[in-house]
Amino acid sequence: MRGFHLFQRLLLIAAVCPATIQSVNAVDNGVEQPMSAMLEPWTGPFGGVPPWNLVRQEEFVAAFDQAIDQAQQEIDAIANNPEPPTFENTIVALEQAGRTLERLDTLFSVHSSNLNLGPIPDIERAVSPKLAEHADKITQNEKLFARIEAVFQSDEKSKLTLAQQRLLDDRYRNFVRKGAKLEPDAKKKLSQINMRLASLFTDFSQNVLHDEQSYVTWIDDAARLKGLPDSVVAAMASAAKERGKPGQWAVTNTRSSMDPVLTYADDRPLREEVWRTYYNRGDNGDAHDNNTLIAEILKLRRTRANMLGYPTHAHWRLEGTMAKTPQATMDLMMQVWPKAVARVHEEVADMQKIADEEGAKIKIEPWDYRYYAEKVRKAKYDLDFNEVKPYLQLEKLREGMMWAAGELFGLQFKETTDLPVFHPDVRVWEVNDADGNHVGLWYFDPYAREGKRSGAWMSAYRAQENIDQPITTIVSNNSNFVKGAPGEPVLISWDDAVTLFHEFGHALHGLCSNVQYPSQSGTSVARDYVEFPSQLLEHWLDTPEVLSRYCVHHQTGEAMPQELADKIANAATFNQGFGTVEYLASALIDMKLHTSDRDEIDPDAFERETLKEIGMPDELPMRHRTPHFQHIFASDSYSAGYYSYLWSDALTADAAEVFDEAGSYYDEATAKRLYDSVLSVGDTIDPADGFRAFRGRDVDTSALLRKRGFPTK
């Protein structure tokens, strides 16, 4: 998910967002540079829209130089204001600074995530350190910080609203956390560290993208496709044709391509080849190997944390979260870990029994887990997800998400075709509330393509705000579904359908936002709270209303049979050992890496040692191996924060039981309370207070264990 504003995204500091400001020319080495159209205020309907049609890749570097210069002038104007510092002329002024840079960064970030081809990787390497340096110049500006501190300590603070006080507190504490009180030499060193980290983050993500694009498993013998669903085979044939090899089949190096092969392919050597290719991303001992980069990132993070007065990077990162401390995250994870591992042993025993009965003469290995799990699922629950997939049409599920949003929050979606997009696959919907008022735009980019990073995510192109006038949000959902043959519906797996609803939950968090200041808008909340609304929305996929209306057979149009829906419900906790352990292994590695006191870390060795120490079962991998763990090494965003999915799921499981108790997931009073206490308020209140207002009490973590089918004692 990408929901933060520019400086929050890079270094989680000064918040900025787009709006109209005057154009200026920049001077570079004494030569006046022409103004790029990408720096102009956004025009068109809905308060302006991203001008994808005006993007010129060759202009990005010069445009960033101009935008950074302009943003710096705006910051200097706030810092040098001769008037006494007030909330309005300092804190609110910061909210409105850097808007040209934010707009440009939005355009570029979409290209670096979705169209990372040609010159984009080199542009990103050039631009990232400049943005890091600019962010440091803001937090290290002594005059600016003096004004913020003066407002923070003034009598005016007590007269502010609670949301304004929270904004002021967050701004002050973020500046302190970013080195505003350091001595000049330390500030200079800190800036050098941040610039170097920005470069390393870019190199890391580019290396992973290289391995995802460069490694393809080719199949030229149809016999090796046995067991794979027809829709998967068709997608593989299409992928091969796109890569110039018609008549063959291609398994690209992304999760969407890997997962069906590991789940359904009878050819065990093929499963192993695909598994090793996927899990070795960034760890192939070549020029794109990430281990050296990781070691340097960890060392720099530890040095930075120590400079700022924290024992470890994790302590620094967690200070502003719900968890507060690394120990609190470990307490929750270790409450779940032993129970999840015990469940894995049970799951493996069931798999091994089937393999033995079939005469396979194998020991279950990581490339066997998904394959034999499906056999166990069918034996225990008479559930074959191959029978489910024909009912999971991407387009119908998209309609189902929108329908649910209308039932819950009154949101109405109307597709518009006259706005510019960055790729022909992208579609756009105008979103209105129940009274017909415009609340935002939703962009949908569903398909995998060369140059697009793997996975699924939400982005905020513009934050909702209401300082001088209402400004509505623009959000997007991005996925990597594989296109089938032309004219054929795209069928997706049940897990992918859950992910689709999850990311749409992030989008709804942005679309429901109703705050005054952009840095408190939508998903700009604590990292271990932001996944709560999105994980909660997953529950609407298997409601009877969505299953009966939108999970319809792609050939007959008939609704999913109740018998099949019941099987899905009965198997809801099946394979939770696998899902929980593969995730928690990554979260535990993340936390242990970022609380380690080692001066030097060999990432591969640390991973092996730690997994052995915590009792990781041999039969499955961690979800994200360290060399391609983009959540924690492609930016600071989720570093020492991957635990947050579990923390949020504890909230989610408890919150879902409110709807269960109400008797319907469409209960109006409960949905309104969710909107009022969570979705609309953004970061204007403490997350614990928001959850408490919705639930009526603090979280009960035993709900998390019940949800996953683990014992609560």
Side-chain angles (χ1 to χ4, degrees):
M1 187 209 72
R2 178 184 180 270
F4 290 128
H5 305 295
L6 177 61
F7 303 130
Q8 289 171 312
R9 182 176 69 85
L10 288 172
L11 291 172
L12 305 178
I13 50 177
V16 294
C17 68
T20 300
I21 58 178
Q22 298 298 313
S23 300
V24 297
N25 289 329
V27 176
D28 182 38
N29 296 325
V31 179
E32 187 173 317
Q33 302 294 316
M35 182 74 175
S36 172
M38 295 187 293
L39 298 179
E40 296 288 353
W42 292 352
T43 60
F46 313 118
V49 296
W52 308 112
N53 54 315
L54 299 181
V55 170
R56 302 293 181 266
Q57 294 183 0
E58 68 276 9
E59 296 178 5
F60 267 127
V61 174
F64 268 107
D65 288 341
Q66 294 175 342
I68 289 172
D69 181 69
Q70 179 174 329
Q72 189 60 55
Q73 292 178 35
E74 294 165 2
I75 293 297
D76 290 342
I78 298 170
N80 296 322
N81 188 342
E83 297 295 324
T86 65
F87 180 82
E88 193 69 27
N89 70 19
T90 302
I91 306 304
V92 177
L94 277 172
E95 289 289 291
Q96 297 177 300
R99 295 177 184 262
T100 296
L101 181 57
E102 171 66 8
R103 289 195 303 271
L104 179 65
D105 182 66
T106 293
L107 298 178
F108 182 71
S109 294
V110 169
H111 278 70
S112 65
S113 296
N114 299 273
L115 300 165
N116 202 308
L117 298 167
I120 295 297
D122 289 335
I123 294 172
E124 189 170 19
R125 291 186 179 97
V127 166
S128 294
K130 295 181 180 184
L131 291 172
E133 181 182 32
H134 172 63
D136 280 334
K137 285 183 178 179
I138 295 174
T139 52
Q140 295 180 13
N141 187 313
E142 293 183 4
K143 291 183 178 180
L144 178 62
F145 178 65
R147 294 182 67 86
I148 295 171
E149 189 171 37
V151 180
F152 181 75
Q153 296 176 346
S154 70
D155 294 337
E156 181 189 11
K157 182 177 180 180
S158 62
K159 302 174 184 177
L160 301 175
T161 67
L162 290 178
Q164 289 173 331
Q165 289 182 23
R166 184 170 175 81
L167 178 64
L168 173 58
D169 288 349
D170 287 347
R171 184 67 66 242
Y172 172 77
R173 297 185 199 287
N174 276 332
F175 267 64
V176 173
R177 283 168 40 78
K178 296 299 178 179
K181 291 190 172 184
L182 292 177
E183 294 298 320
D185 287 346
K187 286 181 178 179
K188 183 178 179 180
K189 181 179 179 181
L190 181 65
S191 185
Q192 291 171 343
I193 289 174
N194 287 333
M195 290 173 64
R196 178 58 181 162
L197 282 170
S199 295
L200 292 169
F201 296 156
T202 300
D203 290 343
F204 182 95
S205 60
Q206 293 293 346
N207 285 342
V208 176
L209 183 61
H210 170 274
D211 283 3
E212 289 175 347
Q213 294 181 166
S214 301
Y215 289 87
V216 177
T217 302
W218 294 102
I219 302 169
D220 56 13
D221 181 0
R224 303 195 74 190
L225 303 173
K226 186 179 178 182
L228 290 168
D230 291 342
S231 59
V232 172
V233 173
M236 290 164 59
S238 178
K241 186 176 181 180
E242 289 178 2
R243 287 160 177 78
K245 291 190 177 183
Q248 295 191 35
W249 298 267
V251 183
T252 57
N253 204 20
T254 63
R255 193 197 63 81
S256 296
S257 292
M258 170 275 295
D259 193 81
V261 175
L262 296 189
T263 303
Y264 299 114
D266 293 338
D267 189 325
R268 192 177 189 231
L270 174 62
R271 296 201 306 268
E272 181 177 358
E273 181 181 355
V274 170
W275 185 91
R276 291 190 182 280
T277 301
Y278 182 77
Y279 285 100
N280 281 347
R281 290 171 298 150
D283 196 25
N284 289 299
D286 56 12
H288 300 281
D289 190 286
N290 273 329
N291 283 283
T292 301
L293 300 183
I294 293 168
E296 186 176 357
I297 289 171
L298 291 170
K299 190 170 185 177
L300 289 173
R301 280 175 170 166
R302 185 181 173 209
T303 300
R304 179 177 62 184
N306 293 163
M307 289 176 60
L308 294 168
Y310 299 85
T312 71
H313 176 75
H315 287 84
W316 176 69
R317 285 286 291 122
L318 290 170
E319 188 176 56
T321 65
M322 292 187 76
K324 306 298 183 188
T325 67
Q327 188 59 51
T329 75
M330 291 298 296
D331 289 345
L332 179 62
M333 288 191 283
M334 294 312 295
Q335 179 184 352
V336 177
W337 176 257
K339 297 175 181 181
V341 170
R343 180 61 55 82
V344 164
H345 293 321
E346 295 173 4
E347 292 171 0
V348 170
D350 289 338
M351 296 174 195
Q352 191 67 58
K353 181 180 178 182
I354 288 181
D356 293 345
E357 290 173 349
E358 292 180 345
K361 297 181 180 179
I362 64 168
K363 174 188 175 295
I364 299 297
E365 299 285 357
W367 46 89
D368 300 317
Y369 207 110
R370 291 171 175 86
Y371 179 75
Y372 281 98
E374 285 305 299
K375 291 177 178 286
V376 174
R377 191 198 312 267
K378 191 167 185 178
K380 279 195 168 185
Y381 300 97
D382 192 25
L383 175 59
D384 181 353
F385 270 121
N386 272 326
E387 298 176 11
V388 176
K389 195 168 186 178
Y391 295 93
L392 301 178
Q393 302 175 64
L394 175 61
E395 188 66 8
K396 295 298 293 184
L397 290 168
R398 190 268 308 158
E399 293 175 8
M401 296 189 310
M402 292 179 170
W403 176 84
E407 292 296 300
L408 290 167
F409 312 119
L411 297 181
Q412 304 300 316
F413 292 75
K414 179 182 178 182
E415 187 169 9
T416 176
T417 58
D418 56 357
L419 299 180
V421 293
F422 56 84
H423 189 275
D425 287 343
V426 180
R427 297 161 67 188
V428 190
W429 279 261
E430 177 189 359
V431 188
N432 295 322
D433 65 17
D435 297 323
N437 301 308
H438 176 76
V439 298
L441 293 173
W442 182 67
Y443 286 64
F444 189 37
D445 179 25
Y447 301 122
R449 70 175 71 90
E450 187 178 3
K452 187 177 185 180
R453 70 178 176 90
S454 63
W457 64 95
M458 170 266 187
S459 295
Y461 298 162
R462 181 172 70 200
Q464 176 268 327
E465 67 169 275
N466 192 10
I467 298 179
D468 298 324
Q469 60 181 349
I471 294 177
T472 57
T473 191
I474 302 176
V475 298
S476 79
N477 281 149
N478 307 73
S479 304
N480 271 278
F481 299 114
V482 180
K483 281 186 177 180
E488 293 291 325
V490 175
L491 304 179
I492 67 176
S493 70
W494 182 260
D495 285 346
D496 281 342
V498 171
T499 300
L500 187 70
F501 271 66
H502 174 102
E503 295 301 335
F504 189 64
H506 284 307
L508 290 182
H509 199 173
L511 290 166
C512 290
S513 179
N514 185 21
V515 302
Q516 186 171 6
Y517 303 107
S519 64
Q520 294 180 323
S521 174
T523 55
S524 297
V525 297
R527 176 60 69 197
D528 49 10
Y529 191 67
V530 73
E531 299 297 338
F532 161 45
S534 57
Q535 289 175 335
L536 187 59
L537 198 82
E538 295 172 13
H539 288 74
W540 274 266
L541 170 60
D542 59 359
T543 58
E545 294 84 351
V546 169
L547 289 177
S548 62
R549 288 177 171 88
Y550 300 100
C551 294
V552 298
H553 198 281
H554 70 103
Q555 291 177 327
T556 67
E558 295 179 357
M560 181 183 293
Q562 186 60 47
E563 180 184 7
L564 189 54
D566 290 342
K567 289 179 182 180
I568 294 173
N570 292 336
T573 60
F574 174 74
N575 219 32
Q576 278 295 326
F578 175 87
T580 304
V581 165
E582 70 150 3
Y583 156 72
L584 267 183
S586 294
L588 288 165
I589 290 283
D590 170 34
M591 193 55 63
K592 287 179 176 293
L593 279 169
H594 289 111
T595 52
S596 172
D597 59 1
R598 297 186 191 180
D599 291 330
E600 302 287 343
I601 289 178
D602 177 336
D604 275 349
F606 188 95
E607 179 182 299
R608 288 192 302 271
E609 294 165 7
T610 303
L611 292 178
K612 182 178 180 180
E613 171 192 319
I614 63 177
M616 178 71 173
D618 295 333
E619 296 87 357
L620 74 165
M622 47 196 291
R623 182 174 299 175
H624 304 288
R625 287 201 55 238
T626 311
H628 54 251
F629 203 167
Q630 296 213 70
H631 284 78
I632 66 173
F633 293 119
S635 73
D636 273 335
S637 183
Y638 269 92
S639 60
Y642 198 60
Y643 78 91
S644 61
Y645 288 94
L646 187 71
W647 192 278
S648 293
D649 203 30
L651 304 174
T652 300
D654 200 19
E657 292 185 354
V658 180
F659 285 95
D660 290 329
E661 293 161 5
S664 170
Y665 274 75
Y666 298 91
D667 180 73
E668 290 186 14
T670 308
K672 185 178 187 304
R673 198 159 73 249
L674 179 66
Y675 176 88
D676 291 342
S677 303
V678 178
L679 295 178
S680 66
V681 297
D683 196 40
T684 60
I685 62 175
D686 186 284
D689 292 337
F691 181 85
R692 197 176 297 113
F694 172 72
R695 189 62 176 102
R697 56 164 171 74
D698 290 330
V699 63
D700 174 10
T701 57
S702 62
L704 172 67
L705 299 173
R706 288 193 293 272
K707 175 183 177 181
R708 295 179 182 235
F710 299 157
T712 56
K713 298 296 184 180

